[in-house]
Amino acid sequence: MSERALEEIAVLSAIYCGAGQFEWTQRSDTEGNIFHIQVPVGESSGRKTVTLLFHLPAEYPSCVPGISVSCEQLTRRQCEDIKQSLLTKASALVSEPMVHELVLWLQQNAENITDVEQPSRHRGPPGRSEIHVDERVWTALLLIDHMRSKAKYIKTVEKWTWDLELTGRLFTGQLILLLLQGTRRNIKEYLHLHKSVKVDVDSAGKKCKEKMMSVLCERPLSEERKHS
């Protein structure tokens, strides 16, 4: 973990110093750092408290942080929209500490993000169909070539599935298979993480990305049930 990242976390803990506003839950030079920040968003009449969980990998700020969003006053879809908007914003800030800027950006733009889905509720059948497709549960079956650092690999997979609200089951017999269920958007994000983050080690013991993982199938759960 770079000195700049640690300095950023120290600054964040000083800024968000109210009761329950900041909690540092994991500190590791190799696994990265995990913390959450609670911030108010929206106008005073409809203000909501949003909890943002950030995972800063060891390579941060040279990469985008992992982000999870939760809020009791928002739907799961709205939280997902906020998360995707933050990740898009973060991709333009790589190479510099960005968490505080992301939080400020969210507070300024939250209403615009969470209002996006509202008009579609009043549309005709095409609009409703679009929402149905986004909300369907999808199933994906992945084939993993090998796991040299098995314990670390499994821990990383468990964290990603938890952060992305996916149901996952790992089979480690003769073949290593990973079954995922969740929204298609979250499954796509999982696949991106699995292929772009150093999740295993090579024969020399150095961290490496998963290049041999393949998707055996990916389809809506409803279709799967029709064939069962």
Side-chain angles (χ1 to χ4, degrees):
M1 179 64 63
S2 70
E3 286 297 324
R4 288 193 300 168
L6 293 175
E7 289 174 2
E8 180 184 28
I9 294 174
V11 170
L12 290 168
S13 66
I15 294 173
Y16 303 101
C17 57
Q21 274 195 306
F22 182 92
E23 184 178 359
W24 197 349
T25 56
Q26 176 178 298
R27 313 182 188 201
S28 171
D29 291 335
T30 55
E31 303 290 335
N33 288 264
I34 298 175
F35 56 87
H36 77 245
I37 298 173
Q38 288 188 341
V39 293
V41 300
E43 301 296 331
S44 56
S45 59
R47 185 157 293 178
K48 307 169 183 66
T49 299
V50 174
T51 300
L52 303 172
L53 186 145
F54 291 93
H55 173 217
L56 309 188
E59 298 84 1
Y60 177 87
S62 297
C63 65
V64 171
I67 302 174
S68 179
V69 179
S70 61
C71 177
E72 292 183 356
Q73 299 102 323
L74 296 175
T75 65
R76 183 171 175 177
R77 169 71 181 276
Q78 288 173 316
C79 289
E80 180 64 23
D81 287 342
I82 290 175
K83 174 182 173 180
Q84 293 301 322
S85 297
L86 287 171
L87 289 171
T88 299
K89 178 68 176 177
S91 65
L93 301 174
V94 170
S95 78
E96 294 294 335
M98 65 184 78
V99 173
H100 190 217
E101 185 168 346
L102 291 175
V103 174
L104 293 178
W105 181 86
L106 172 61
Q107 290 180 300
Q108 295 169 0
N109 295 275
E111 291 297 323
N112 294 332
I113 299 169
T114 56
D115 281 346
V116 169
E117 70 172 292
Q118 302 300 326
S120 61
R121 294 177 180 174
H122 304 288
R123 293 176 185 169
R128 289 198 299 270
S129 176
E130 291 171 5
I131 294 175
H132 175 71
V133 171
D134 287 341
E135 294 295 339
R136 282 188 299 177
V137 175
W138 280 65
T139 296
L141 182 63
L142 316 182
L143 174 63
I144 299 173
D145 186 66
H146 60 271
M147 290 181 178
R148 286 194 174 93
S149 181
K150 186 175 180 180
K152 179 178 180 298
Y153 203 124
I154 293 175
K155 183 179 179 180
T156 302
V157 168
E158 289 176 343
K159 180 190 179 305
W160 287 342
T161 54
W162 173 265
D163 289 348
L164 293 170
E165 298 180 324
L166 296 173
T167 301
R169 185 173 181 183
L170 185 65
F171 303 88
T172 55
Q174 186 174 0
L175 297 177
I176 304 175
L177 300 171
L178 176 60
L179 181 68
L180 297 174
Q181 289 184 352
T183 64
R184 192 177 192 188
R185 177 187 289 180
N186 285 7
I187 288 177
K188 291 293 186 185
E189 185 175 341
Y190 177 91
L191 295 176
H192 172 73
L193 284 171
H194 206 134
K195 293 180 179 179
S196 61
V197 176
K198 293 179 180 178
V199 69
D200 203 4
V201 296
D202 60 20
S203 56
K206 295 181 179 180
K207 291 183 179 180
C208 64
K209 297 178 182 178
E210 173 61 80
K211 297 181 180 179
M212 303 297 290
M213 184 266 287
S214 58
V215 180
L216 299 181
C217 74
E218 183 181 0
R219 61 191 181 187
L221 185 60
S222 57
E223 289 186 12
E224 185 176 1
R225 285 175 178 167
K226 288 178 184 178
H227 294 289
S228 60

